[in-house]
Amino acid sequence: MYSNNKIEGPRVLHEPGEYKKSIEKLKNLDIDLILTGHGQAITSAANSKLETFLTELDN
């Protein structure tokens, strides 16, 4: 979900390592737009926002 200029993932992850790998693959693509299905669309700086999200997953 994307809200208030921040990506939020699911609260419970059954396979956190696989989830992180999937997000890393997305981050490595040249993405301009992400439609999350819940919340707002990410219409700018998508790669940067994914990088921030990955950093937050590690903390």
Side-chain angles (χ1 to χ4, degrees):
M1 182 165 145
Y2 181 68
S3 180
N4 298 321
N5 205 32
K6 183 177 177 180
I7 299 173
E8 296 180 17
R11 303 275 189 258
V12 176
L13 296 173
H14 298 286
E15 296 183 36
E18 294 301 314
Y19 180 76
K20 186 175 177 184
K21 283 183 196 176
S22 294
I23 300 299
E24 287 174 345
K25 286 180 185 178
L26 289 174
K27 180 195 64 109
N28 291 325
L29 299 173
D30 184 22
I31 299 173
D32 293 321
L33 174 70
I34 298 175
L35 303 173
T36 63
H38 295 283
Q40 305 163 323
I42 299 172
T43 58
S44 65
N47 291 86
S48 174
K49 289 174 181 144
L50 286 171
E51 181 68 41
T52 299
F53 178 61
L54 281 169
T55 301
E56 291 172 356
L57 280 178
D58 288 335
N59 296 328

